[in-house]
């Protein structure tokens, strides 16, 4: 038998617990809140890969998932991430700086707040917007209703619809000639003082519908990077884009691995903020038409359709290189890029196989709109062509689920939040990458080598020896004449010895 005092204490705890539970349920019903959490900031690769957007439907707000420790619970915020605003927009929309999303460069002083800070949570809108119906004939009325809903689901309350950026800006110029002259980093900073620390550019007069992350895979292209930025910054400014630039540099001595760098850029950008659209951009491509809108849609988009290198035509129907854009969910669905293409070539073709295998189509603008100039350059040292790229490509869809974004291995050496970009220097160990090669790909490589031996295409050890440079070089004119004279004399002697004796 328990003492009477202990019984009373237990009954008191039970009463308090039931009271709190009922109060919580009534509070959530009162404000139409969900017990599903949305992570405000994700710090590990595993959390990034396991996160999925909440499914829409009648049971969307009844999820039984529980918040993991250390993650900011924003139950009343139904968007995947808080939208962020400049100071001018906050004042015009009646928002305080404390209502900010508290992600990368969202605070006035450029520093990020700690996860879990309740002052970072957006306000809850009380007013319920009118849902636009197909029967609405007034286009302006339907547009206002759409922006009311966007303001609520982003946790920003009632924001004036006129403050949202239009789908297509009136400042676009159309065809461009491109800026190809060298420019220094200091000159770029003077030209674009509105850039925020970490390389973020966003319009002051309106709020874009998407937040972009432009990811450059990089090695030894310093001049190209600033030339491309000199074109992209005014290009995206006219498009009224909210964009952050990430430069992912692969430190030597390992061979360049473009696919792995794109995966790394995605994962590292995810740790800093929640982006709606990822643009994977080569560092030597200059866009020549600002109607080529850097946006993401229901399908992945190939932006670099026509380049001067190929006379402004598509090289082949399956080409998917240069500049590609995807939403966060699309990139997670296809498991990112393959990491197995060490050296030049193959990873862009593999990407298209992954896209189509997951029932996506590849969107493209027309040739005039999606035109680019490629900066002329020689192939970088340490980026030789991969001789096995065609063999590896055979198993692209077979290994898609077990190789790619979920198997990339790397080490971050340094992160610098510069004025023009967020610079992330990484090391990629090729040996660690090759340890992730699936068995089906290894079998394809072994079979290709066996077929090569049977067909006799493999060179013998003597043929593999490299000839001296002198033998490979063309003869001088005098040496060539002497060689011909000796050859004629030898031929004459041979013919003379073979003539029959005269009777």
């Amino acid at each position: 038998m328990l003492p009477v005092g202990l019984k009373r204490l237990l009954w008191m705890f039970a009463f308090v617990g039931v009271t709190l539970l009922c109060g919580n349920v009534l509070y959530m019903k009162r404000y139409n809140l969900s017990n599903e959490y949305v992570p405000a900031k994700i710090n590990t690769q595993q959390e990034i890969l396991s996160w999925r957007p909440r499914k829409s439907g009648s049971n969307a707000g009844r999820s039984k998932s529980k918040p993991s420790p250390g993650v900011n619970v924003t139950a009343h915020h139904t968007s995947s991430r808080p939208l962020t605003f400049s100071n001018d927009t906050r004042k015009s929309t009646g928002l305080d700086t404390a209502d900010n999303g508290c992600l990368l460069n969202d605070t006035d002083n450029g520093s990020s707040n700690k996860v879990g800070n309740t002052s970072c949570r957006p306000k809850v809108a009380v007013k319920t917007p009118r849902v636009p119906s197909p029967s609405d004939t007034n286009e302006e009325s339907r547009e206002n209703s759409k922006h009311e809903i966007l303001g609520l689901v982003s946790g920003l309350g009632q924001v004036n619809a006129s403050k949202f950026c239009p789908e297509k800006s009136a400042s676009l110029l159309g065809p461009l000639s491109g800026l190809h002259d060298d420019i220094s980093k200091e000159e770029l900073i003077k030209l674009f003082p509105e850039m925020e620390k970490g390389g973020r550019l966003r319009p002051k007069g309106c709020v874009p519908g998407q937040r972009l992350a432009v990811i450059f895979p990089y090695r030894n292209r310093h001049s190209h990077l600033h030339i491309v930025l000199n074109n992209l910054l005014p290009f995206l400014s006219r498009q009224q884009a909210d964009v952050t630039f990430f430069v992912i540099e692969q430190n030597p001595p390992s061979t360049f691995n473009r696919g792995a760098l794109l995966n790394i850029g995605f994962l590292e950008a995810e740790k800093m903020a929640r982006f709606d659209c990822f643009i994977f951009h080569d560092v030597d491509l200059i866009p020549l038409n600002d109607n080529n809108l850097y946006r993401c849609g229901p399908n992945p988009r190939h932006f670099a359709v026509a380049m001067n290198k190929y006379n402004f035509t598509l090289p082949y129907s399956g080409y998917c290189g240069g500049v590609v854009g995807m939403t966060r969910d699309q990139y997670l669905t296809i498991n990112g890029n393959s990491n197995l293409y060490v050296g030049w070539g193959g990873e862009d073709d593999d990407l298209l196989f992954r896209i189509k295998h997951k029932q996506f189509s590849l969107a493209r603008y027309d040739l005039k709109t999606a035109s680019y100039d490629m900066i002329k350059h020689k192939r970088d040292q340490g980026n030789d062509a991969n001789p096995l790229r065609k063999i590896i490509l055979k198993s692209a869809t077979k290994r898609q689920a077990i190789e790619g974004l979920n198997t990339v291995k790397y080490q971050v050496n340094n992160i610098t939040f510069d004025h023009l970009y967020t610079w992330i220097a990484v090391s990629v160990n090729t040996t660690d990458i090759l340890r992730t090669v699936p068995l089906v790909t290894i079998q394809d490589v072994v079979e290709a080598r066996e077929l090569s031996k049977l067909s006799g295409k493999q060179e013998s050890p003597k043929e593999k020896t490299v000839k001296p440079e002198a033998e490979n070089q063309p003869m001088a004119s005098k040496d060539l004449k002497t060689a011909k004279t000796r050859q004629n004399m030898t031929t004459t002697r041979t013919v003379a010895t073979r003539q029959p004796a005269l009777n």
Side-chain angles (χ1 to χ4, degrees):
M1 296 294 294
L2 295 175
V4 178
L6 184 58
K7 285 184 178 181
R8 290 178 179 177
L9 185 62
L10 291 175
W11 276 109
M12 183 177 66
F13 278 127
F15 177 76
V16 172
V18 172
T19 304
L20 291 176
L21 180 61
C22 294
N24 184 40
V25 172
L26 292 174
Y27 177 81
M28 294 181 70
K29 287 185 176 181
R30 168 66 179 82
Y31 293 102
N32 193 22
L33 304 180
S34 167
N35 65 342
E36 180 177 2
Y37 79 97
V38 178
K41 189 174 181 181
I42 300 178
N43 295 316
T44 64
Q45 179 176 344
Q46 186 62 29
E47 287 176 329
I48 293 170
L49 297 177
S50 61
W51 188 91
R52 284 293 185 277
R54 182 169 59 185
K55 295 181 180 179
S56 59
S58 59
N59 297 326
R62 303 176 186 175
S63 173
K64 297 182 180 180
S65 60
K66 298 181 180 179
S68 59
V71 178
N72 183 19
V73 180
T74 318
H76 60 278
H77 186 262
T78 58
S79 174
S80 60
R81 66 166 183 83
L83 290 182
T84 53
F85 294 86
S86 62
N87 291 335
D88 295 338
T89 309
R90 292 192 193 100
K91 293 176 182 178
S92 62
T93 55
L95 296 174
D96 299 326
T97 55
D99 299 320
N100 195 12
C102 298
L103 297 174
L104 179 63
N105 294 341
D106 286 341
T107 54
D108 294 337
N109 56 7
S111 61
S112 60
N113 294 323
K114 294 181 180 179
V115 177
N117 187 353
T118 55
S119 64
C120 301
R121 299 180 183 177
K123 294 179 179 179
V124 179
V126 179
K127 181 182 177 182
T128 303
R130 183 184 63 83
V131 179
S133 63
S135 60
D136 288 340
T137 56
N138 190 344
E139 187 67 26
E140 183 179 356
S141 175
R142 298 188 64 185
E143 189 71 15
N144 291 342
S145 300
K146 182 182 73 174
H147 287 307
E148 285 180 10
I149 294 175
L150 180 59
L152 286 181
V153 299
S154 62
L156 294 169
Q158 290 302 114
V159 181
N160 188 354
S162 62
K163 294 301 178 183
F164 288 93
C165 300
E167 290 294 328
K168 194 169 184 179
S169 171
S171 304
L172 300 180
L173 302 176
L176 307 168
S177 58
L179 304 172
H180 299 79
D181 296 334
D182 289 336
I183 187 169
S184 67
K185 175 182 172 181
E186 291 72 20
E187 290 174 320
L188 274 177
I189 293 175
K190 291 180 180 178
L191 285 174
F192 302 98
E194 66 274 17
M195 291 286 291
E196 302 175 24
K197 189 175 181 180
R200 185 175 184 181
L201 176 71
R202 49 181 165 174
K204 294 182 179 180
C206 62
V207 182
Q210 295 182 1
R211 185 172 179 184
L212 314 181
V214 174
I215 297 173
F216 295 108
Y218 176 90
R219 177 186 270 179
N220 299 329
R221 296 285 192 86
H222 205 68
S223 60
H224 292 179
L225 174 63
H226 292 140
I227 292 174
V228 170
L229 282 176
N230 193 28
N231 287 270
L232 279 180
L233 288 173
F235 174 88
L236 293 172
S237 180
R238 290 192 298 271
Q239 292 186 4
Q240 295 180 316
D242 182 355
V243 57
T244 304
F245 296 97
F246 293 89
V247 180
I248 315 299
E249 179 186 18
Q250 182 178 346
N251 293 143
S254 58
T255 305
F256 192 73
N257 191 328
R258 182 177 178 270
L261 291 182
L262 297 179
N263 288 335
I264 294 168
F266 175 86
L267 292 172
E268 291 301 315
E270 276 286 288
K271 295 176 184 179
M272 298 180 186
R274 184 57 56 84
F275 295 96
D276 306 300
C277 180
F278 292 82
I279 309 292
F280 304 98
H281 207 297
D282 280 357
V283 78
D284 55 0
L285 290 179
I286 299 173
L288 298 179
N289 194 321
D290 56 12
N291 288 314
N292 187 3
L293 300 177
Y294 276 26
R295 305 281 192 274
C296 287
N299 287 292
R301 179 170 291 278
H302 180 217
F303 292 95
V305 180
M307 291 184 282
N308 59 343
K309 180 180 179 180
Y310 305 111
N311 295 322
F312 295 103
T313 58
L314 190 66
Y316 52 94
S317 59
Y319 179 67
C320 187
V323 185
V324 178
M326 295 186 214
T327 65
R328 179 180 187 275
D329 191 46
Q330 288 167 1
Y331 200 71
L332 287 171
T333 301
I334 69 169
N335 198 18
N337 280 266
S338 172
N339 308 303
L340 303 185
Y341 296 90
V342 181
W344 179 87
E347 78 285 342
D348 47 359
D349 295 328
D350 190 290
L351 180 65
L352 183 59
F353 277 105
R354 288 171 175 249
I355 291 172
K356 291 187 174 182
H357 187 242
K358 291 298 180 179
Q359 308 305 317
F360 289 115
S361 60
L362 190 65
R364 289 189 177 110
Y365 293 118
D366 59 88
L367 295 177
K368 291 183 179 180
T369 302
S371 58
Y372 287 77
D373 267 350
M374 178 181 284
I375 303 173
K376 294 182 180 180
H377 61 88
K378 296 180 180 179
R379 187 174 296 171
D380 300 327
Q381 187 176 1
N383 190 25
D384 297 329
N386 187 340
L388 300 175
R389 61 186 183 276
K390 293 183 179 180
I391 301 172
I392 298 173
L393 190 61
K394 292 180 180 179
S395 60
T397 56
K398 295 178 183 178
R399 55 181 160 77
Q400 180 172 359
I402 58 175
E403 188 277 319
L405 185 64
N406 57 355
T407 59
V408 63
K409 308 291 183 183
Y410 66 99
Q411 178 182 350
V412 176
N413 299 326
N414 186 42
I415 299 179
T416 304
F417 296 98
D418 211 315
H419 185 80
L420 298 173
Y421 30 65
T422 297
W423 192 289
I424 304 176
V426 300
S427 294
V428 179
N429 191 324
T430 303
T431 304
D432 292 340
I433 294 292
L434 295 178
R435 285 173 181 166
T436 65
V437 178
L439 181 61
V440 63
T441 306
I442 296 175
Q443 291 174 345
D444 288 341
V445 174
V446 172
E447 290 176 2
R449 288 181 176 177
E450 290 178 352
L451 290 173
S452 178
K453 289 180 182 179
L454 293 174
S455 61
K457 292 183 179 180
Q458 187 176 12
E459 295 179 345
S460 62
K462 292 184 180 179
E463 292 174 336
K464 287 184 179 179
T465 56
V466 180
K467 297 181 180 180
E469 293 183 2
E471 295 184 18
N472 295 330
Q473 294 177 354
M475 290 185 178
S477 57
K478 292 183 179 179
D479 296 337
L480 188 60
K481 289 180 180 179
T482 305
K484 287 183 178 180
T485 305
R486 290 178 180 175
Q487 185 178 4
N488 292 334
M489 292 175 63
T490 305
T491 305
T492 305
R493 290 174 184 173
T494 304
V495 173
T497 55
R498 289 181 180 177
Q499 285 181 351
L502 297 175
N503 294 327

